[in-house]
């Protein structure tokens, strides 16, 4: 049993309940009818599969895989696949619903879904991960499809896994179907700009929010929790706009330098040390919790759910929180943060740059055409900025936080579409 560790026991808020409590508040503010509320509160489909995989040492190990389709009212469902030991049904359900709201907030024609496999990808070989990904894809051949349900990377997965998924699906269909998945390597029909897209959207929404708060980026400091794909690109792009990134963190700990972290060095270090910052020098080592409460202008949680909670919310000094991760703030912490006058650009808005460029990738695949990086960036920046402005406007109209405003925008769109399409 070398590969399965018990999930750490944490004092965690259930992510599905966290999502539902915001959904409830926004539905009430919007005056959503009970019938529509009942439709949207339940996922359309939940699939759980058991995946026997031969490990390198010849033993057979059985993994549990999930795919939850929350909604396909706006179009084919869209959402990433997570490989992590904390994956469980309630997490996948919450993440799937967040994808529905996220796609609606940025106005792209998709519903929401999410998948996951409970595993520890850092302790698995490439061969084991390939067999696991192919087994998962095989079991989802009837679920996935370019007009049905389109997966993408999430925590623990990337272009390599998406390539295996596309290949396995294509074999099953007897033809190359590259539009079945996004976040692919460029040569397989991936889009320029997709890798950095989520971090780029975080940067665009952070700058839009800083403008409202009259924070000058050239004088601002920022702390970034999580230094994976989202956190590291957000850091680089914010730095390019003049923001000083003074702290970063990952599972190995947090790293602080009041004069600014050397981001290129930290990324190089991470990439040559099995994805970890462990041992990174030139900074002061601080506690991961301390990073969240640093005296900075902007805090970007870019790891996973439930890191800003009732236990630390009161201590947060940042004036602006931009949620690169999905669900980093527990719903119980919302009130504390709002009372303290901290602006939060919520996950379903701030990290929507990733799915936006996934949409562009799918469009390019279907056209059989390739866009330039410049076109991808220009169009995604515009979508992110427009979405921010719209959510900001609704927050003033309803006198609610940006988070509840984003839910209002999303629920309103899905509910209207549902009413036009009609149920049974
Ligand atoms: N996993 C990413 C997210 O949570 C991207 C999803 C996608 O591109 O479909 O937004």
């Amino acid at each position: 049993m070398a590969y399965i560790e018990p999930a750490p026991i944490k004092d965690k808020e259930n992510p599905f309940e966290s999502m539902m409590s915001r959904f409830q508040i926004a539905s009430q503010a919007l005056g959503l009818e009970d019938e529509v509320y009942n439709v949207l509160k339940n996922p359309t489909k939940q699939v759980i599969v058991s995946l026997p995989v031969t490990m390198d040492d010849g033993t057979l190990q059985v993994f549990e895989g999930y795919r939850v389709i929350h909604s396909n009212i706006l179009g084919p469902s869209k959402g990433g696949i997570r490989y992590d030991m904390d994956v469980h049904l309630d997490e996948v359900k919450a993440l799937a619903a967040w994808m529905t709201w996220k796609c609606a907030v940025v106005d792209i024609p998709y519903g929401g879904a999410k998948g996951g496999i409970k595993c520890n990808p850092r302790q698995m070989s490439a061969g084991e991960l390939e067999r696991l990904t192919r087994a998962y894809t095989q079991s989802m051949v009837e679920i996935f499809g370019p007009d049905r349900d389109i997966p993408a990377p999430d925590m623990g997965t990337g272009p390599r896994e998406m390539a295996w998924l596309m290949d396995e699906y294509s074999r099953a269909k007897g033809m190359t179907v590259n539009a079945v998945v996004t976040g692919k390597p460029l040569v397989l029909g991936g889009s320029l700009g997709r890798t950095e897209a989520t971090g780029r959207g975080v940067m665009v929404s952070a700058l839009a929010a800083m403008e409202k708060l009259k924070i000058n980026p050239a004088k601002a400091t920022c702390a970034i929790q999580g230094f994976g794909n989202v956190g590291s690109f957000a850091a680089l792009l914010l730095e390019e706009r003049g923001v000083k990134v003074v702290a970063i963190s990952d599972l190995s700990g947090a790293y602080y330098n009041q004069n600014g972290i050397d981001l290129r060095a930290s990324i190089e270090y991470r990439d040559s040390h099995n994805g970890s910052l462990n041992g990174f020098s030139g900074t002061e080592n601080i506690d991961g919790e301390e990073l969240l409460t640093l005296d900075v202008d902007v805090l970007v949680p870019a790891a996973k759910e439930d890191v800003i909670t009732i236990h630390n919310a009161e201590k947060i000094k940042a004036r602006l929180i931009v949620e690169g991760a999905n669900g980093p703030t527990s719903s119980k912490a919302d009130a504390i943060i709002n009372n303290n006058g901290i602006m939060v650009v919520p996950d379903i808005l701030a990290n929507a740059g990733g799915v936006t460029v996934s949409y562009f990738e799918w469009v390019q695949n279907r056209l059989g055409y390739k866009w330039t990086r410049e076109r991808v960036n220009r169009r995604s920046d515009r979508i992110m900025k427009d979405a921010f402005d719209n959510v900001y406007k609704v927050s003033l109209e309803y006198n609610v936080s940006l988070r509840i405003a984003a839910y209002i925008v999303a629920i309103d769109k899905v509910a209207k579409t549902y009413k036009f399409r009609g149920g049974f």
Side-chain angles (χ1 to χ4, degrees):
M1 297 309 277
Y3 299 100
I4 291 204
E5 303 157 354
I9 298 160
K10 291 191 198 110
D11 177 20
K12 268 183 155 276
E13 188 171 298
N14 178 313
F16 190 70
E17 283 162 17
S18 229
M19 186 283 298
M20 281 305 293
S21 91
R22 278 83 170 243
F23 173 52
Q24 239 154 17
I25 297 171
S27 300
Q28 258 159 25
L30 195 59
L32 190 72
E33 299 90 332
D34 285 352
E35 287 88 348
V36 183
Y37 176 84
N38 288 334
V39 171
L40 298 182
K41 80 171 197 220
N42 296 306
T44 291
K45 193 179 281 190
Q46 305 177 54
V47 184
I48 304 179
V49 291
S50 169
L51 307 166
V53 173
T54 306
M55 308 309 279
D56 290 346
D57 64 5
T59 60
L60 191 80
Q61 200 167 307
V62 184
F63 294 87
E64 192 152 72
Y66 302 87
R67 185 74 180 167
V68 172
I69 295 177
H70 171 260
S71 162
N72 47 19
I73 292 168
L74 293 184
S77 51
K78 187 85 191 80
I81 298 170
R82 177 171 291 198
Y83 288 2
D84 189 71
M85 285 309 287
D86 286 344
V87 165
H88 59 96
L89 185 60
D90 266 0
E91 182 190 58
V92 185
K93 274 166 68 180
L95 290 163
W98 279 323
M99 286 308 303
T100 302
W101 312 136
K102 195 185 298 187
C103 293
V105 167
V106 285
D107 203 14
I108 57 178
Y110 287 142
K114 200 80 173 196
I117 302 177
K118 185 177 161 73
C119 66
N120 186 345
R122 280 171 195 270
Q123 286 181 12
M124 294 173 69
S125 70
E128 289 167 341
L129 286 168
E130 177 171 357
R131 293 192 289 281
L132 178 63
T133 306
R134 288 186 184 277
Y136 178 75
T137 307
Q138 270 297 337
S139 65
M140 298 289 173
V141 165
E142 300 309 321
I143 303 292
F144 295 158
D147 290 304
R148 242 177 235 281
D149 178 40
I150 309 147
D154 195 73
M155 195 188 286
T157 60
R160 180 181 66 168
E161 286 73 18
M162 302 307 114
W164 292 327
L165 193 155
M166 179 211 127
D167 181 69
E168 195 61 33
Y169 182 85
S170 297
R171 282 169 199 259
K173 296 288 168 189
M175 60 184 172
T176 296
V177 190
N178 59 9
V180 69
V181 59
T182 61
K184 299 179 292 292
L186 276 181
V187 287
L188 293 186
S191 176
L192 287 163
R194 175 63 186 87
T195 311
E196 59 272 37
T198 312
R200 190 178 175 89
V202 168
M203 176 273 288
V204 171
S205 42
L207 290 193
M210 284 159 88
E211 203 183 310
K212 300 287 181 203
L213 293 171
K214 302 202 167 30
I215 299 176
N216 177 356
K219 292 196 178 122
T221 54
C222 174
I224 304 213
Q225 187 244 359
F227 208 59
N229 176 267
V230 181
S232 59
F233 278 112
L236 276 178
L237 292 163
L238 280 167
E239 188 192 59
E240 254 175 38
R241 268 67 181 179
V243 177
K244 195 198 286 176
V245 178
V246 295
I248 57 175
S249 72
D250 69 3
L251 288 174
S252 72
Y255 306 84
Y256 174 77
N257 185 336
Q258 63 169 2
N259 300 316
I261 303 272
D262 183 341
L263 292 173
R264 274 161 221 284
S266 61
I267 290 170
E268 247 169 59
Y269 187 91
R270 176 199 69 187
D271 292 345
S272 55
H273 289 79
N274 195 24
S276 171
L277 288 168
N278 198 11
F280 178 59
S281 57
T283 59
E284 190 187 320
N285 288 355
I286 58 169
D287 187 62
E289 267 295 305
E290 201 183 330
L291 177 140
L292 299 171
T293 57
L294 284 174
D295 190 6
V296 289
D297 298 294
V298 187
L299 173 64
V300 178
K304 57 199 299 188
E305 304 94 82
D306 215 23
V307 295
I308 299 173
T309 65
I310 44 169
H311 305 296
N312 57 19
E314 198 60 70
K315 290 184 258 165
I316 289 180
K317 298 184 198 76
R319 292 170 62 197
L320 171 64
I321 298 175
V322 186
E323 296 184 335
N326 292 310
T329 308
S330 78
S331 65
K332 291 186 187 123
D334 280 352
I336 304 172
I337 288 172
N338 292 341
N339 282 343
N340 291 346
I342 301 170
M343 182 187 276
V344 180
V345 186
D347 45 8
I348 57 173
L349 170 61
N351 71 37
V355 75
T356 299
V357 177
S358 273
Y359 168 56
F360 294 162
E361 180 174 330
W362 179 81
V363 167
Q364 292 170 74
N365 292 159
R366 311 207 90 187
L367 288 172
Y369 185 69
K370 234 171 173 27
W371 294 1
T372 60
R373 186 185 300 276
E374 196 268 325
R375 173 184 277 196
V376 170
N377 288 346
R378 183 169 28 87
R379 292 193 175 186
S380 63
D381 289 357
R382 168 81 5 240
I383 287 184
M384 291 301 295
K385 180 67 170 55
D386 287 351
F388 179 90
D389 289 343
N390 187 31
V391 167
Y392 191 83
K393 191 183 85 209
V394 171
S395 81
L396 297 180
E397 230 171 82
Y398 284 80
N399 192 23
V400 292
S401 65
L402 290 180
R403 186 187 311 283
I404 297 304
Y407 275 80
I408 288 177
V409 168
I411 294 166
D412 188 38
K413 181 168 183 213
V414 181
K416 278 193 182 123
T417 312
Y418 179 75
K419 280 189 241 164
F420 275 118
R421 292 185 63 159
F424 284 108

